Amino acid sequence: MDAVRVALLREVLAGTEWLGATRHFAGTLRAQVVSHGGGLLLVGTPEYEPWHLAAHLVDEAAWSGTPELAPTLVRHDARPADPAHLAVGLGRLEAARRGETLLVVAPDEPPGALLDRVADARRAGATLLSLGPETGELPAMAHEVLPVTDGSELDLDTVQHLVSAAAGENALPARRGPRRFRDRLSRLADLLTAPPPTRW
């Protein structure tokens, strides 16, 4: 889904709780990873791997100048022969530590083995965000939850588009102190290469 379609979707959703909910969740995600300099781990279930969200977050990281948003996609069936960005297995969750953020995307309650690893990562100090089930062990242990149930007006894929777009557009805190020439030059280059704003 491109930026124009996301803008149209937001227009359709105006007046619903979805815009505020997805922006709040995205703001929490962004604030967490920016304040810790990255460390975003993204995992789904064996049946549902959020590779599409991973790709969108990589794009948003580049477009917004916020490299911390680029996640490490943790996969259930990763193999050493896979490309590097697809070769990170569940063992990475065991190495999660304080300052890292773990985003779990699941249409239903994840299997017990995954929940155990997620709980271990949380105990080790990782911040846990949940996108999916409203009830169960996963949302109960998460620091932040955005529930997307079968009866919701939006499906899980659509909500992921809204979250990734909102994560890329949330403003960074104002820089304090004098800005170096290189910072000003970088900001000018960003402004000159940014796509023009969409007018409706």
Side-chain angles (χ1 to χ4, degrees), residues 38-98:
L40 175 58
L41 304 174
L42 177 62
V43 68
T45 66
E47 297 79 26
Y48 188 92
E49 289 193 329
W51 60 268
H52 201 66
L53 176 59
H56 280 292
L57 285 172
V58 168
D59 289 343
E60 292 295 341
W63 294 333
S64 67
T66 312
E68 299 89 348
L69 282 175
T72 297
L73 179 61
V74 178
R75 301 183 62 228
H76 291 263
D77 60 351
R79 297 178 298 273
D82 289 336
H85 68 288
L86 298 175
V88 179
L90 292 175
R92 179 61 181 87
L93 298 182
E94 295 168 9
R97 295 292 176 258
R98 182 172 307 282

Side-chain angles (χ1 to χ4, degrees), residues 3 6 16 23 39 62 78 80 101 105 114 116 122 128 155 159 178 182:
V6 169
T16 71
R23 282 194 166 124
T101 303
V105 181
L114 177 58
D116 290 343
R122 189 186 193 283
L128 175 59
D155 62 18
V159 172
R182 180 179 285 171

Side-chain angles (χ1 to χ4, degrees), residues 65-192:
T66 312
E68 299 89 348
L69 282 175
T72 297
L73 179 61
V74 178
R75 301 183 62 228
H76 291 263
D77 60 351
R79 297 178 298 273
D82 289 336
H85 68 288
L86 298 175
V88 179
L90 292 175
R92 179 61 181 87
L93 298 182
E94 295 168 9
R97 295 292 176 258
R98 182 172 307 282
E100 292 186 305
T101 303
L102 175 56
L103 172 55
V104 182
V105 181
D108 303 301
E109 180 78 346
L114 177 58
L115 286 172
D116 290 343
R117 291 176 187 254
V118 168
D120 289 345
R122 189 186 193 283
R123 276 193 292 275
T127 299
L128 175 59
L129 282 71
S130 168
L131 182 56
E134 186 172 19
T135 60
E137 288 185 53
L138 176 61
M141 74 172 98
H143 295 96
E144 187 76 33
V145 178
L146 180 56
V148 185
T149 60
D150 283 339
S152 297
E153 301 90 347
L154 301 180
D155 62 18
L156 189 57
D157 289 336
T158 302
V159 172
Q160 289 175 71
H161 283 291
L162 291 170
V163 167
S164 62
E169 72 186 7
N170 290 337
L172 288 172
R175 187 186 297 258
R176 297 181 190 266
R179 296 175 68 176
R180 297 179 311 168
F181 175 73
R182 180 179 285 171
D183 295 332
R184 292 194 307 265
L185 188 59
S186 174
R187 175 73 179 137
L188 177 61
D190 289 343
L191 290 172
L192 292 175

